C-alpha cells in the first residue's frame, strides 16, 4: 500500500482518526465501517482499491482511535454526518468522492447521501448490509398495512433477525456483557458464525462494542417511529450478502422509491462481506465507480 498516512480531523469538539492510502491525485473513495468494528475492517478492501484510488477510512466516533463521547445524544445521525463532512473537507476539500459503507457505517451514510451539504459531492454510494432507518420505518408501515398475514410475517422475520437491537436499548446490560469479556470471545464468534477465517483479537474491541451501542439508542426508535422522506440523488449500489443473519434482503424491496439509479448485487456470503469476500466487494466497487465517474 503506497502513501499510507494517518490524519487527525477535528469535528466539533471531537477528534476523528483517519487514514489515507493511494495517490493523492487519484479518484477519492471514502470507506465507513460499522458496529462493533473500526477502520481495520476495511484492511483487505483498501489494500486492493488503493492501487488505483485514493482510499480514505476513518474510525467513526466511539470506535478505534477516534473520540468517544459519553452521552447517547452525541451519537445522533446528524453528528455522524458532520464527522464525514469534517473528514472530506479536511482531507479532500471541495472534491467529489465515492462513498462505500458497511453495517452502521452504511446506516449513517444514508444521512449524507440523502441530505445537504454533501449530497452534491457524492458521486456514487455503495451500501453493504446497512439500510436507511427512515426507509425501514416506511417499509415497516407498509408491511403492517398489508391485508392478511404476509406483511406481518415479514416484519416478524426481520424482528427475529434483529433481536440484538432490542437488547441494545436496555441500559447497562450490553456494556456489562462487553466488560465481562465478549471482546475476547468476539474473534471466535466471527470465525464460527460468520466464516471470518482470520478473525483476530483487537485491543480496541471492548471500547468499540461499549460505545457503539449508543448508535442504536440515539437513533433507532426515533427514526423507525417517525421516518422522514430521504431520497438519494446519486447512483446507489446495494450489495446484499445472501447469508446475512441480521439484515434481511426484503428490506430493499421498496428501495427504488428512494433512489434514482439503483443497482442491487447479491453476494453469497455472511454479514461481514468486507472480511469474508474482500475481492468480490472490491470488484463490485471498482465496476460501479467506473460506471459513474
Amino acid at each position: 500500500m503506497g502513501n499510507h498516512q494517518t490524519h487527525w480531523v477535528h469535528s466539533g469538539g471531537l477528534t476523528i482518526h483517519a487514514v489515507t492510502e493511494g495517490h493523492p491525485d487519484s479518484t477519492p473513495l471514502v470507506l465507513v465501517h460499522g458496529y462493533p468494528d473500526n477502520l481495520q475492517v476495511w484492511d483487505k478492501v483498501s489494500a486492493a482499491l488503493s492501487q488505483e484510488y485514493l482510499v480514505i477510512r476513518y474510525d467513526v466516533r466511539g470506535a478505534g482511535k477516534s473520540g468517544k463521547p459519553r452521552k447517547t445524544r452525541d451519537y445522533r445521525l446528524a453528528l455522524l454526518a458532520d464527522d464525514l463532512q469534517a473528514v472530506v473537507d479536511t482531507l479532500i476539500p471541495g472534491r467529489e468522492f465515492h462513498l462505500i459503507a458497511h453495517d452502521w457505517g452504511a446506516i449513517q451514510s444514508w444521512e449524507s447521501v440523502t441530505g445537504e451539504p454533501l449530497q452534491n459531492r457524492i458521486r456514487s454510494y455503495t451500501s453493504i448490509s446497512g439500510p436507511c432507518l427512515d426507509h425501514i420505518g416506511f417499509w415497516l408501515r407498509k408491511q403492517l398495512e398489508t391485508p392478511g398475514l404476509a406483511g406481518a410475517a415479514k416484519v416478524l422475520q426481520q424482528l427475529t433477525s434483529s433481536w440484538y437491537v432490542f437488547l441494545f436499548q436496555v441500559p447497562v446490560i450490553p456494556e456489562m456483557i462487553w466488560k465481562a469479556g465478549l471482546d475476547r470471545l468476539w474473534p471466535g464468534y466471527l470465525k464460527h458464525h460468520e466464516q471470518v477465517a482470520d478473525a483476530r483479537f483487537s485491543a480496541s474491541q471492548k471500547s468499540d462494542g461499549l460505545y457503539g451501542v449508543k448508535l442504536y439508542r440515539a437513533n433507532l426508535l426515533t427514526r423507525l417511529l417517525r421516518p422522514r422522506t430521504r431520497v438519494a440523488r446519486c447512483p446507489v449500489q446495494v450489495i446484499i450478502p445472501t447469508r446475512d443473519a441480521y439484515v434481511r434482503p426484503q428490506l430493499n424491496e421498496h428501495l427504488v422509491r428512494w433512489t434514482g439509479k439503483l443497482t442491487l448485487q447479491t453476494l453469497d456470503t455472511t454479514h461481514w462481506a468486507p472480511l469474508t469476500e474482500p475481492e468480490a466487494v472490491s470488484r463490485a466497487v471498482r465496476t460501479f465507480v467506473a460506471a459513474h465517474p
Side-chain angles (χ1 to χ4, degrees):
M1 274 176 284
N3 213 6
H4 183 290
Q5 290 188 317
T6 299
H7 308 265
W8 300 98
V9 174
H10 297 290
S11 178
L14 207 67
T15 302
I16 300 292
H17 169 244
V19 170
T20 55
E21 289 137 313
H23 196 280
D25 295 332
S26 298
T27 300
L29 309 183
V30 179
L31 312 182
V32 190
H33 71 81
Y35 176 84
D37 303 318
N38 56 49
L39 60 74
Q40 292 176 324
V41 79
W42 292 112
D43 279 354
K44 293 178 182 177
V45 172
S46 185
L49 293 176
S50 61
Q51 304 300 319
E52 55 193 293
Y53 301 103
L54 171 63
V55 177
I56 300 166
R57 303 181 273 165
Y58 65 98
D59 289 324
V60 305
R61 58 173 61 206
K65 298 175 183 175
S66 287
K68 297 167 178 56
R70 296 194 172 275
K71 293 178 180 173
T72 298
R73 66 170 179 263
D74 290 334
Y75 290 81
R76 287 174 301 189
L77 289 172
L79 295 173
L80 297 165
D82 288 347
D83 294 343
L84 172 60
Q85 186 185 352
V87 168
V88 295
D89 281 354
T90 303
L91 302 182
I92 47 167
R95 293 171 67 183
E96 296 183 345
F97 60 95
H98 298 266
L99 187 58
I100 300 96
H102 174 249
D103 185 80
W104 252 100
I107 292 173
Q108 72 183 63
S109 291
W110 281 103
E111 193 74 4
S112 301
V113 168
T114 60
E116 304 295 344
L118 288 181
Q119 197 172 44
N120 295 325
R121 286 174 61 190
I122 300 171
R123 297 291 303 153
S124 76
Y125 178 42
T126 296
S127 167
I128 310 168
S129 294
C132 174
L133 294 181
D134 296 283
H135 297 167
I136 297 176
F138 284 116
W139 178 85
L140 287 169
R141 285 184 182 185
K142 191 166 183 66
Q143 301 313 313
L144 295 173
E145 289 166 1
T146 303
L149 297 175
K154 282 184 182 179
V155 170
L156 187 62
Q157 186 185 41
Q158 182 56 53
L159 292 179
T160 304
S161 299
S162 304
W163 59 269
Y164 58 93
V165 167
F166 302 100
L167 172 65
F168 290 169
Q169 301 300 320
V170 180
V172 182
I173 291 176
E175 286 89 341
M176 284 175 61
I177 294 171
W178 281 108
K179 286 176 181 175
L182 180 56
D183 58 321
R184 293 282 168 187
L185 300 174
W186 191 248
Y189 176 82
L190 290 178
K191 280 181 185 175
H192 299 301
H193 294 276
E194 296 294 324
Q195 280 80 60
V196 180
D198 57 350
R200 295 184 304 276
F201 174 74
S202 161
S204 72
Q205 188 66 71
K206 184 175 288 187
S207 63
D208 291 349
L210 277 171
Y211 288 96
V213 167
K214 297 178 191 296
L215 293 165
Y216 294 84
R217 294 179 187 154
N219 300 294
L220 209 86
L221 294 178
T222 316
R223 295 279 60 87
L224 295 185
L225 297 174
R226 291 195 297 275
R228 306 156 299 167
T229 299
R230 308 293 288 184
V231 181
R233 285 190 203 149
C234 70
V236 174
Q237 170 176 234
V238 177
I239 297 176
I240 305 167
T242 54
R243 290 182 278 132
D244 194 324
Y246 317 101
V247 182
R248 297 289 181 184
Q250 62 201 24
L251 290 179
N252 298 298
E253 277 176 345
H254 308 298
L255 192 52
V256 70
R257 174 184 170 191
W258 308 112
T259 56
K261 290 183 179 176
L262 176 64
T263 303
L264 299 178
Q265 296 268 20
T266 56
L267 202 54
D268 180 25
T269 189
T270 56
H271 178 78
W272 268 273
L275 294 175
T276 56
E277 293 289 343
E279 296 87 0
V281 169
S282 302
R283 192 161 54 246
V285 168
R286 204 178 280 115
T287 302
F288 196 63
V289 167
H292 303 97

